[in-house]
């Protein structure tokens, strides 16, 4: 019976071939299934260990290609009481395929010690070249700066802040579009891990604290040949000026977490006399830990503020400073705009408008003008 059935099967015109094809399909499916299960198990193991195992796994799975095998290229966690004051607190890099990958890095913010809070002091300190590891966040997809009131251990000077930044790239090296929001959740998890392990204290990090980075765009770099970011709010027409020429002095600017400074001169379009060829503007804002020092450094000037002061007679050029308090980027801010012209009427008539433009460029709210003073 079995032999007859086998003979009919073998003698059938297409049934043996169909059986072979079906068996091959079953074997291939089984191979793919086993391989997929092994890949998924491997990828799950990578997520369990990467960045101390604190990555939100479902979010990361949604960011990484599920049909690729992920590899943990680097995994470093030096948070906690190591006492070594590392330059890198956390680094984990997950890759797949050719050059695609997800990289997360946490580094301490080692502020250049300021010799003062006046614009010249801040601009001088800002010229110190920061190492690449400290500025890598400028090319990241997403980044956050976190306060650490209790201080990170192991450093020669108090370190009360750190940064976490993340980037997600495709195999072709291009930045993954639309990933900033999901990466924000990942960055938040790593930032809270560093905060907890470092004994920082202070409030927990929220996803809303995380900011999109400039990515591959570097036009905002302070090393650019263009106008510094801190000076881009100013327009020459504010002081009846013309565009800066090739031989004119370039503006100087600095944008930081605790202070923004711009110092520039503008060539006057129609000078009235030989003293009126240029006008000058300096803007500065202080936040956070610099506020008390700024109030101390400018104590005499703040005490002399008035709503409408009179310029000193006999002056050949005039410098008018305008002060304001406001809320910029959610924090209390003290700002000063200094206008220098050859005519007191021009300085007096334009100072308020220039201050308004400066604060508006930083999306400052609840503005309270403290007064003016002639210098």
């Amino acid at each position: 019976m079995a032999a007859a059935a086998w003979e009919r099967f073998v003698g059938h015109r297409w049934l043996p071939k169909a059986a072979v094809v079906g068996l091959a399909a079953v074997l291939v499916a089984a191979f793919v299934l086993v391989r997929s299960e092994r890949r998924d198990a491997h990828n799950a193991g990578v997520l369990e260990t990467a960045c101390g195992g604190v990555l939100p796994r479902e979010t990361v799975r949604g960011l990484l290609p599920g049909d690729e095998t992920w590899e943990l290229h680097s995994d470093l966690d030096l948070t906690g009481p190591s006492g070594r004051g590392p330059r890198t607190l956390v680094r984990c890099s997950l890759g797949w395929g050719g050059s695609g990958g997800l990289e997360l890095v946490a580094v301490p913010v080692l502020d250049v010690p300021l010799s003062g809070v006046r614009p010249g002091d801040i601009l001088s300190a800002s010229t110190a070249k920061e190492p690449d590891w400290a500025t890598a966040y400028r090319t990241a997809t997403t980044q956050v700066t976190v306060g650490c009131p209790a201080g990170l251990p192991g450093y020669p000077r108090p370190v009360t802040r750190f940064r976490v930044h993340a980037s997600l790239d495709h195999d072709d090296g291009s930045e993954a579009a639309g990933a900033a929001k999901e990466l924000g959740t990942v960055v938040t998890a790593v930032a809270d891990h560093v905060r907890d392990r470092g004994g920082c204290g202070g409030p927990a990090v929220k996803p809303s604290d995380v900011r999109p980075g400039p990515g591959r765009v570097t036009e905002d770099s302070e090393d650019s040949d263009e106008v510094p970011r801190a000076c881009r709010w100013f327009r020459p027409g504010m002081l009846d000026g013309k565009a800066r020429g090739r031989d004119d002095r370039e503006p100087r600017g600095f944008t930081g977490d605790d202070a923004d400074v711009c110092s520039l001169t503008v060539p006057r379009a129609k000078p009235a006399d030989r003293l009126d060829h240029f006008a000058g503007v300096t803007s500065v804002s202080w936040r956070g830990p610099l506020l008390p020092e700024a109030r101390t450094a400018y104590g005499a000037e703040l005490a002399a503020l008035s709503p409408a002061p009179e310029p000193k007679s006999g002056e050949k050029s005039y410098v008018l400073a305008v002060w304001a308090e406001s809320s910029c980027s959610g924090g209390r801010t003290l700002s000063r705009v200094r206008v220098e012209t050859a005519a007191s009427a021009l300085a007096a008539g334009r100072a308020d408008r220039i201050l308004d433009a400066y604060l508006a460029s930083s999306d400052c709210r609840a503005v309270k003008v403290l007064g003016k003073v002639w210098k």
Side-chain angles (χ1 to χ4, degrees), residues 203-250:
V205 185
K206 304 185 295 295
S208 58
D209 297 329
V210 182
R211 301 178 183 178
R216 295 293 178 265
V217 180
T218 58
E219 65 181 10
D220 283 343
S221 171
E222 300 298 349
D223 297 327
S224 170
D225 291 334
E226 300 179 4
V227 175
R229 191 187 334 163
C231 297
R232 293 180 187 175
W233 62 272
F234 182 79
R235 298 292 178 268
M238 294 176 181
L239 285 172
D240 298 336
K242 60 183 180 180
R244 180 171 56 90
R246 180 178 300 177
D247 297 328
D248 292 332
R249 187 187 307 170
E250 294 186 357

Side-chain angles (χ1 to χ4, degrees), residues 37-339:
E37 289 178 346
R38 288 181 177 177
R39 181 194 64 219
D40 292 345
H42 170 83
N43 290 349
V46 168
L47 290 185
E48 285 179 3
T49 59
C51 280
V54 301
L55 299 181
R57 297 175 190 177
E58 291 305 315
T59 301
V60 175
R61 285 193 183 97
L63 289 169
L64 307 185
D67 57 350
E68 295 279 2
T69 299
W70 311 332
E71 298 295 338
L72 190 58
H73 294 320
S74 64
D75 193 26
L76 176 69
D77 187 350
L78 294 177
T79 55
S82 63
R84 288 179 285 177
R87 292 186 301 176
T88 303
L89 299 167
V90 171
R91 177 187 296 277
C92 60
S93 176
L94 287 73
W96 63 86
S99 58
L102 168 66
E103 184 174 41
L104 292 108
V105 182
V107 296
V109 177
L110 304 178
D111 293 316
V112 177
L114 297 178
S115 58
V117 294
R118 296 180 183 274
D121 300 327
I122 297 173
L123 289 172
S124 296
S126 70
T127 59
K129 180 66 176 177
E130 291 185 276
D132 292 341
W133 62 266
T135 59
Y137 74 96
R138 295 176 182 171
T139 57
T141 307
T142 306
Q143 57 92 17
V144 65
T145 301
V146 184
C148 187
L152 293 169
Y155 297 91
R157 292 195 311 271
V159 176
T160 57
R161 293 181 301 162
F162 64 89
R163 284 194 183 97
V164 181
H165 57 87
S167 294
L168 178 65
D169 296 331
H170 290 304
D171 285 334
D172 60 3
S174 63
E175 192 172 87
K181 183 177 181 181
E182 288 75 14
L183 276 179
T185 304
V186 180
V187 167
T188 299
V190 174
D192 265 332
H193 170 68
V194 175
R195 192 181 63 84
D196 291 341
R197 287 267 296 159
C200 287
V205 185
K206 304 185 295 295
S208 58
D209 297 329
V210 182
R211 301 178 183 178
R216 295 293 178 265
V217 180
T218 58
E219 65 181 10
D220 283 343
S221 171
E222 300 298 349
D223 297 327
S224 170
D225 291 334
E226 300 179 4
V227 175
R229 191 187 334 163
C231 297
R232 293 180 187 175
W233 62 272
F234 182 79
R235 298 292 178 268
M238 294 176 181
L239 285 172
D240 298 336
K242 60 183 180 180
R244 180 171 56 90
R246 180 178 300 177
D247 297 328
D248 292 332
R249 187 187 307 170
E250 294 186 357
R252 300 174 63 201
F254 170 75
T255 303
D257 293 315
D258 297 329
D260 301 323
V261 177
C262 171
S263 178
L264 56 84
T265 58
V266 55
R268 296 270 287 146
K270 296 180 180 180
D273 53 49
R274 63 183 183 85
L275 298 176
D276 194 38
H277 284 278
F278 292 92
V281 172
T282 301
S283 62
V284 56
S285 290
W286 302 273
R287 296 174 290 274
L290 294 188
L291 280 174
E293 188 176 348
R295 294 184 186 278
T296 300
Y298 285 94
E301 185 172 317
L302 288 167
L305 293 179
S306 65
E310 291 294 329
K312 297 178 181 179
S313 61
E315 293 289 340
K316 293 184 178 180
S317 62
Y318 295 88
V319 177
L320 181 62
V322 190
W323 287 80
E325 290 179 334
S326 59
S327 176
C328 309
S329 302
R332 295 304 302 169
T333 302
L334 182 65
S335 300
R336 177 182 186 262
V337 168
R338 177 182 182 272
V339 180

